Amino acid sequence: MSKIAFDGRHLTGEGVERLSRKLGDLGDIFSDKGAHAALPQGRLVYEVESVLPVKEGTEGGLFVGMTYIHPGKVGREYFMTKGHFHTIRNRAEVYIGIEGEGMLILMSEDRSRVWAEKMRPGSIHYIPGHTAHRTANTGNRILSFGAVWPADAGHDYATISENGFSKILVDMDGVPVLIDKP
Ligand code: S6P
Ligand code: ZN
């Protein structure tokens, strides 16, 4: 029997690693800096639980994780993850929507194309290699999804932290819309 399970709210079992990201950790990702500074910096934006059955960097291995994004906005921009490219750029990933509503935002390596896929319970998303990815909670309850990615993919956060995505996802009269980065 598997030693790890998803009980509907959390991953349970041996070796589950947890991390949380608060508004104060995410100053570089939201475009409205004034709106960000005005919010409580201790507010929780998202949590990640991961299981790493093999050593990071193992070719052929897989990691699995769950992400939980709380509802909220910074200005018109929805609460979202930092976003990253994989360090080994050709490594792909799969996301599976579990709960809530959101958008998976994707950007090509040359930044020329940004597109989004709607996430909902049961939706399955293939993130190709060479593609930056981040997720935003567009609903009013938690957005949770599962992810499976290669153990040697690695995470390049610096490229996104420096330049962001070339489009941002904002609330326009209750509808999530991708617009050019201001
Ligand atoms: C890992 C996978 C997810 C994210 C998580 C948080 O490759 O894409 O588990 O790590 O959704 O996003 P981020 O951008 O802060 O790692
Ligand atoms: Zn990833």
Side-chain angles (χ1 to χ4, degrees):
M1 211 174 78
S2 167
K3 288 193 185 132
I4 306 144
F6 178 63
D7 70 4
R9 296 197 84 82
H10 288 288
L11 286 185
T12 58
E14 267 172 48
V16 177
E17 295 183 12
R18 298 186 162 82
L19 68 81
S20 57
R21 303 277 185 220
K22 302 191 167 124
L23 274 174
D25 305 319
L26 301 170
D28 49 351
I29 68 163
F30 293 105
S31 55
D32 187 338
K33 303 298 175 202
H36 178 266
L39 290 167
Q41 298 300 297
R43 192 158 153 205
L44 195 55
V45 178
Y46 65 96
E47 294 154 280
V48 184
E49 296 173 333
S50 346
V51 178
L52 317 181
V54 293
K55 204 165 154 259
E56 189 138 26
T58 304
E59 192 181 337
L62 292 172
F63 291 160
V64 60
M66 287 291 305
T67 302
Y68 312 89
I69 311 179
H70 293 264
K73 272 183 280 186
V74 175
R76 292 191 302 158
E77 217 173 359
Y78 301 97
F79 275 13
M80 62 183 175
T81 59
K82 286 182 179 209
H84 56 268
F85 285 100
H86 290 150
T87 309
I88 301 186
R89 287 289 195 267
N90 71 3
R91 296 304 193 251
E93 181 160 6
V94 169
Y95 282 179
I96 302 173
I98 304 283
E99 186 185 356
E101 276 182 29
M103 286 287 206
L104 165 63
I105 308 165
L106 301 153
M107 180 175 73
S108 60
E109 198 171 2
D110 67 2
R111 306 176 55 79
S112 65
R113 283 194 320 124
V114 177
W115 67 105
E117 294 182 3
K118 188 161 171 51
M119 300 183 82
R120 55 180 173 74
S123 63
I124 296 182
H125 308 269
Y126 181 77
I127 301 165
H130 301 276
T131 307
H133 42 289
R134 77 157 31 124
T135 44
N137 184 343
T138 58
N140 48 25
R141 63 193 179 105
I142 207 142
L143 168 72
S144 63
F145 61 91
V148 179
W149 67 100
D152 64 352
H155 294 94
D156 169 11
Y157 291 107
T159 301
I160 299 301
S161 163
E162 281 159 28
N163 305 312
F165 278 50
S166 43
K167 286 183 191 281
I168 62 171
L169 187 76
V170 296
D171 179 345
M172 287 232 202
D173 300 324
V175 181
V177 181
L178 277 175
I179 60 166
D180 286 339
K181 199 171 122 184

